[in-house]
Amino acid sequence: MSLLTVRALNAGYGPIQILRGVDLDVAVGGVTAVLGANGAGKTTLLRALCAMIERDGEIRFDGARIDRVRTEDLVRIGIAHVPEGRGTFANLTTEENLRLGAYTRHDRDGIARDLERMYRHFPRLQQRRAQQAGTLSGGEQQMLALGRALMLRPKLMVLDEPSFGLAPLAVKEVYSILERINGEEGVSILVVEQYAAIALDLADHVCLLETGRVVMSGSPRDLRRDESIRRAYLGY
Ligand code: ATP
């Protein structure tokens, strides 16, 4: 069953059209990875989904049309967007950032329990709970961004290049946490990545974006089977 369904999505910036007729699905409990080179339109796709730019097409979430839902209301229906650059508040502490993630909720006990849950997922954040977010390492900031998004108790996490700027070990760590969040908590994930290999290990569905169009959509196995795609995106 599909949690997120996107059909014929067009979007761009003023007169410049970037996305052309994009179709995309994320299954309930599934992970869809969108791969593409620099400038393919990956960030634009997430911005369009999250109503941050003009778009047209059909977007359904959990059975309902959400084309008219505003960015700030998406969290209330269960979509958490972790943008490029992560969007944490540099001058606030780790814990203040996590608490801000729960701003739509009023269940104090539930929030306290979720804070402890986040510290179990991310022990490193617990050690740094009183540290200013701006002084965390890149990997720790990415974990904080994930933790903050999870405090919303989303059904779907939308992630823009979680590997960006991280050393290979930190990338592995972030992805193993994503695997746990998906496997243990059943949170569905839409992830946009340039780092194709690691995203393919997590995903059950993959779309290739080239100059704003989906040029291939299938399982990671389908993608690996295609020699020219494998060479271009996986380098072997
Ligand atoms: P990268 O991996 O480099 O971040 P991407 O696949 O995420 O690339 P986008 O950031 O979506 O690509 O950019 C797609 C195209 O849209 C690019 O040609 C870019 O120059 C253009 N673009 C992005 N933001 C704007 C903007 N605010 N105004 C005009 N054009 C833009």
Side-chain angles (χ1 to χ4, degrees), residues 200-236:
L200 283 186
D201 286 342
L202 177 69
D204 55 70
H205 192 83
V206 57
C207 289
L208 270 188
L209 202 60
E210 277 178 14
T211 55
R213 291 177 207 275
V214 174
V215 294
M216 184 256 161
S217 172
S219 69
R221 233 173 108 191
D222 295 338
L223 188 138
R224 287 192 178 102
R225 255 201 301 247
D226 185 308
E227 196 184 327
S228 63
I229 292 179
R230 202 174 63 221
R231 284 224 182 102
Y233 288 90
L234 297 170
Y236 63 85

Side-chain angles (χ1 to χ4, degrees), residues 149-161:
L150 279 173
M151 289 294 287
L152 294 161
R153 287 204 160 263
K155 291 180 189 157
L156 174 71
M157 295 239 285
V158 173
L159 308 170
D160 197 346
E161 297 210 28

Side-chain angles (χ1 to χ4, degrees), residues 1-4 25-32 61-62 154-157 178-190 202-205:
M1 213 174 71
S2 189
L3 178 65
L4 180 76
D25 290 276
V26 182
V28 173
V31 180
T32 295
F61 180 70
D62 223 2
K155 291 180 189 157
L156 174 71
M157 295 239 285
L178 288 177
E179 195 172 350
R180 197 141 38 91
I181 289 167
N182 174 249
E184 289 175 13
E185 306 198 9
V187 178
S188 305
I189 295 175
L190 173 63
L202 177 69
D204 55 70
H205 192 83

Side-chain angles (χ1 to χ4, degrees), residues 13 16 18 36-45 47 84 160-161 192 194 209:
Y13 304 95
I16 311 164
I18 305 290
N38 285 120
K42 303 183 298 297
T43 298
T44 303
L45 172 61
R47 286 192 191 131
E84 216 176 17
D160 197 346
E161 297 210 28
V192 149
Q194 250 187 93
L209 202 60

Side-chain angles (χ1 to χ4, degrees), residues 12-13 66 80 89 95 113 116 166 184 208 226:
Y13 304 95
I66 60 159
F89 294 99
E95 185 149 321
R113 272 198 305 277
E116 292 313 310
L166 302 186
E184 289 175 13
L208 270 188
D226 185 308

